[in-house]
Amino acid sequence: MLHFHRCQHLKQITQKCFSFIHAKTDKHAQLYLSRTFALAELRKSCHSIHSLVGDKNIILMGLPGAGKTTVGRIIGLKLGCCVIDVDDDILEKTWNMSVSEKLQDVGNEQFLEEEGKAVLNFSTSGSVISLTGSNPMHDTSMWHLKKNGIIVYLDVPLIDIVNRLKLMKIDRIVGQNSGTTMIDLLKFRKQYYKKWYDTRVFCEIGATPEEVADKVLNEVKRYQDVDSETFISTRHIWPKDCEQKVSTKFFSEAVIEGLASDGGLFVPEKEFPKLSFGEWKRLVGATYIERAQILLEKCIHPTDIPAARLGEMIESAYGENFVCSKIAPVRHLSGNQFILELFYGPTGSFKDLSLQLMPHLFAHCIPPSCNYMILVATSGDTGSAVLNGFSNLNKNDKQRIAVATFFPENGISDFQKAQIIGSQEENGWAMGVKSDFDFCQTAIKRIFKDSDFTGFLTVEYGTILSSANSINWGRLLPQVVYHASAYLDLVSQGFISFGSPVDVCIPTGNFGNILAAVYAKMMGIPIRKFICASNENHVLTDFIKTGHYDLRERKLAQTFSPAIDILKSSNLERHLHLLANKDGQLVTKLFNQLEEQHHFQIEKNLVEKLQQDFVADWCSEGECIAAIHSTYNNSGYILDPHTAIAKVVADRMQDKTCPVIVTSTAHYSKFAPAIMKALKIQEINQTLSSRLYLLSSYNALPPLHEALLERTKQQEKMEYQVCAADENVLKSHVEKLIQNQFM
């Protein structure tokens, strides 16, 4: 109910703002700025109705045995406020009998109804309320409580719950005599809790009630402090006057806008949240979806996306869209080398891990009356992943969000091109550009910075531009999850104990994937070295070794690994901002110099700081093909060309003292010609699908991606447009697409 109120508030504000469209005002930026105004007003209204001890209640929810009553009493003492236990203070006083007697008297279903009615007749304010374990199973009463309370979910480990219940009188748990085991009954209950909570306390195994109470107060404080988790541009220059207000954005604004107005990228103003040792230990046995929910809840403020809604998005993104139930499994290759397999999504690349979720985040964050055109530059895999992800939105969202992907016409594999073209839907289109990826990416950045053009689109068509490349924070953040999950899987499988270090080796072009691993380390994953693996376009390797980023006289080479055929690495800007202690003035200077002089050099102290965590090397085309061949001969495993590059570099750079996780970014079937060359398979004018069938006959690992095979059959005859490498031509195409989609 509380979140519904927020949405209505936002809707009213945005409706007022959109009155500017029909007036065709000359102030192009007004509508764009109205979104910031709307969110500011929204947060102001949220802040005014929350206080730790005021008219709002703190409502503790959790499984039977979670310690709600005990923790509630401790919180009540700390805050000096009333504590109400629903069992003792409401139900038993209403019924004049014990809860267990009532349950035995009326049975499970009738009990839930009468319990709900009793809660509906109760109201209070400024109190701590400890719910029963079954309260969340009655919707009407929960809405009643939620109207005037912050619902805190005490997520206690099942092992602690079971151990406590053994010591308690448990003849008052709804459903316990139905023949279901206690473990299954408790797991069943969790589905009800997930839909109600505003914030979660993720309890460590064996946590004391006092520790849990402190966590509750911290979470409630975070929930209320709607301005505590903000974002700044990497080019933000801190004011010399401490009293001057810093220009910040909220998560929802960073996701909507994509690129900062000064040309920089959004980064958190504060440090990443860090999990405790005990919290990480709890996640060792969790599923990928459970890990994603915990980690992303800590990184996204519930005012931007309510925790329960975020959970729904995560389940929608990863529930049925991946052909492997583990989503991102880790496979032991040989010795102390492991492969993180990130290609089980619908388009067969690591981009699916973020782009199945990011469209849901984006659709939630945008004002309900706005139209958005997403512009995407792709070096191969991003295009099809973006088109697929946004095609999975509901009908209403697809009517107000469209996608245009631009790819180098002759710079990606035949399979990737067919996949991008075949992924076009009613709200998504593919455009070939007669140039390379760097041109596509630079042109799109310039389009975003062209205030005359973006303002014209806003006023004339009521449409705002945004991005879904890894320059968008909503695209980058979900990638942190799989790096953390990979480490937890190694612990779960017994290869390492928690706390033991690992290295990660990642084929790197735009720096987003390896940067997400850096963020995973900041959250508490003990990664020792980040090994940057380049192909023959090794500008990043050279930079890590020398501190000199030099594009002068460097031409882009087309390789067997097109996804990293990149010379201008966008996300490097975020990492340099981090290394330079958020010195936006320095970052602005460096990237302006790169734009104007095509190179920059960082100071010696920053080079040393970079090299503390990073090592790098590159791999030739011949070495890439040889690695695919030798790995298949030795282990029956087929590497895609990007993974082969990472393996070559890992073999060369790894010092063998700790395990290394090699990130496999795509399924090998997307690069059949390179694989057939490496395995010495003769190719005779075969179609894309026939190549895949031929490769599948080898019965290699990983198995053939059936979803890719089915989709390939449908993609080979679809049409698309090709345009010249001219920024104005791209603008013209964007305008035409907007006219066709939204007018």
Side-chain angles (χ1 to χ4, degrees), residues 359-401:
H360 297 285
L361 302 178
F362 187 88
H364 178 89
C365 290
I366 64 175
S369 301
C370 292
N371 295 326
Y372 279 82
M373 172 62 77
I374 310 293
L375 302 185
V376 177
T378 177
S379 57
D381 293 323
T382 297
S384 55
V386 169
L387 291 168
N388 182 278
F390 278 90
S391 74
N392 292 330
L393 293 174
N394 63 48
K395 184 178 179 181
N396 289 337
D397 286 335
K398 284 197 284 188
Q399 288 176 347
R400 62 198 185 111
I401 304 172

Side-chain angles (χ1 to χ4, degrees), residues 2 56-59 145-151 198 223:
L2 183 58
K56 305 296 290 184
N57 299 309
I58 297 175
I59 303 169
L145 291 168
K146 197 174 177 71
K147 281 190 298 184
N148 193 41
I150 302 169
I151 299 181
D198 294 306
Y223 182 83

Side-chain angles (χ1 to χ4, degrees), residues 667-688:
H667 196 276
Y668 63 83
S669 59
K670 301 183 75 167
F671 307 94
I675 304 303
M676 295 172 81
K677 178 181 176 69
L679 301 186
K680 298 179 169 49
I681 303 170
Q682 188 174 5
E683 183 178 356
I684 309 173
N685 297 323
Q686 292 166 316
T687 64
L688 293 176

Side-chain angles (χ1 to χ4, degrees), residues 82-229:
C82 179
V83 180
I84 297 167
D85 182 82
V86 171
D87 265 343
D88 297 340
D89 299 322
I90 299 175
L91 300 183
E92 295 193 352
K93 289 183 178 179
T94 300
W95 297 332
N96 292 317
M97 65 171 68
S98 70
V99 171
S100 59
E101 289 172 337
K102 185 71 170 181
L103 181 58
Q104 292 172 8
D105 186 36
V106 301
N108 293 325
E109 291 187 15
Q110 185 62 31
F111 178 88
L112 289 175
E113 282 302 312
E114 297 199 21
E115 180 184 54
K117 288 178 183 177
V119 171
L120 283 169
N121 290 326
F122 157 79
S123 64
T124 188
S125 62
S127 302
V128 178
I129 303 173
S130 300
L131 300 182
T132 72
S134 54
N135 279 148
M137 300 171 75
H138 191 273
D139 285 6
T140 309
S141 61
M142 287 301 293
W143 280 119
H144 171 69
L145 291 168
K146 197 174 177 71
K147 281 190 298 184
N148 193 41
I150 302 169
I151 299 181
V152 182
Y153 174 29
L154 302 187
D155 187 355
V156 177
L158 273 179
I159 187 170
D160 282 357
I161 296 287
V162 171
N163 288 337
R164 291 173 189 174
L165 292 179
K166 288 177 181 177
L167 304 174
M168 295 168 59
K169 181 181 179 183
I170 54 170
D171 56 352
R172 53 197 280 175
I173 299 177
V174 174
Q176 73 181 93
N177 296 320
S178 60
T180 306
T181 67
M182 183 59 69
I183 288 288
D184 288 339
L185 179 62
L186 296 175
K187 288 180 178 178
F188 174 77
R189 285 278 184 92
K190 283 193 171 187
Q191 66 180 303
Y192 294 97
Y193 301 160
K194 286 192 294 187
K195 64 189 283 190
W196 294 116
Y197 68 95
D198 294 306
T199 187
R200 179 203 310 247
V201 170
F202 191 56
C203 304
E204 301 177 17
I205 296 174
T208 66
E210 290 77 12
E211 290 170 337
V212 175
D214 287 340
K215 275 195 164 188
V216 169
L217 293 175
N218 287 335
E219 287 299 324
V220 170
K221 182 180 179 182
R222 180 202 176 209
Y223 182 83
Q224 296 175 112
D225 192 356
V226 296
D227 297 331
S228 63
E229 296 172 25

